Amino acid sequence: MHEMSIAQNLLEIIQEEMAKHNVNTLRSVRLNIGQMSAIVPDALSFCFEVIVAGTELEGTKLIMDIIPLKGYCYACKNEFLIENYAFACTFCESSNIETLAGQDLSVVEMEVD
Ligand SMILES: [Zn+2]
């Protein structure tokens, strides 16, 4: 289950941020999860709970927003949503595209108690 290592990385990021801002407990953490990141939100939530059990972060909730996959077409210079993993421009069907968003996971905000 790769969510376990993701949860571990996530915890490190959160702890770094907490140290930076002198925070000891959190109510929730809001995340953006790219549609393409292959992360299963429920699995990530579960792994995170397991990792933080018994620590000062026990009970911190993960709020996850799924970010759709977006592409930019070099041929017609349009931005479009990539659906069903069809990596071609929806306007001109060119495959000369770049992926703009929807591939990774990022911490958007943390709510302090
Ligand atoms: Zn195009």
Side-chain angles (χ1 to χ4, degrees):
M1 193 167 17
H2 78 143
E3 273 82 6
M4 195 47 102
S5 59
I6 293 165
Q8 201 84 53
N9 287 340
L10 180 61
L11 180 62
E12 279 165 31
I13 295 168
I14 292 170
Q15 282 172 332
E16 252 173 54
E17 284 300 309
M18 286 171 76
K20 233 187 269 176
H21 301 286
N22 249 330
V23 171
N24 294 315
T25 53
L26 288 178
R27 191 191 294 271
S28 64
V29 178
R30 183 175 285 273
L31 304 173
N32 276 349
I33 294 181
Q35 204 181 33
M36 263 286 279
S37 63
I39 295 168
V40 179
D42 283 350
L44 181 60
S45 238
F46 174 77
C47 292
F48 187 76
E49 258 175 51
V50 169
I51 289 175
V52 300
T55 74
E56 68 275 15
L57 282 173
E58 182 162 8
T60 300
K61 264 199 287 178
L62 294 185
I63 301 165
M64 290 170 269
D65 295 318
I66 307 294
I67 304 303
L69 193 57
K70 243 170 86 175
Y72 172 78
C73 175
Y74 288 108
C76 69
K77 315 239 182 298
N78 277 308
E79 283 184 17
F80 57 96
L81 288 179
I82 299 171
E83 279 167 358
N84 303 319
Y85 303 103
F87 289 94
C89 175
T90 50
F91 295 96
C92 71
E93 293 178 1
S94 165
S95 56
N96 188 14
I97 63 166
E98 184 187 0
T99 315
L100 295 178
Q103 289 187 96
D104 45 27
L105 172 145
S106 55
V107 175
V108 186
E109 64 177 24
M110 297 191 222
E111 195 190 347
V112 179
D113 243 337

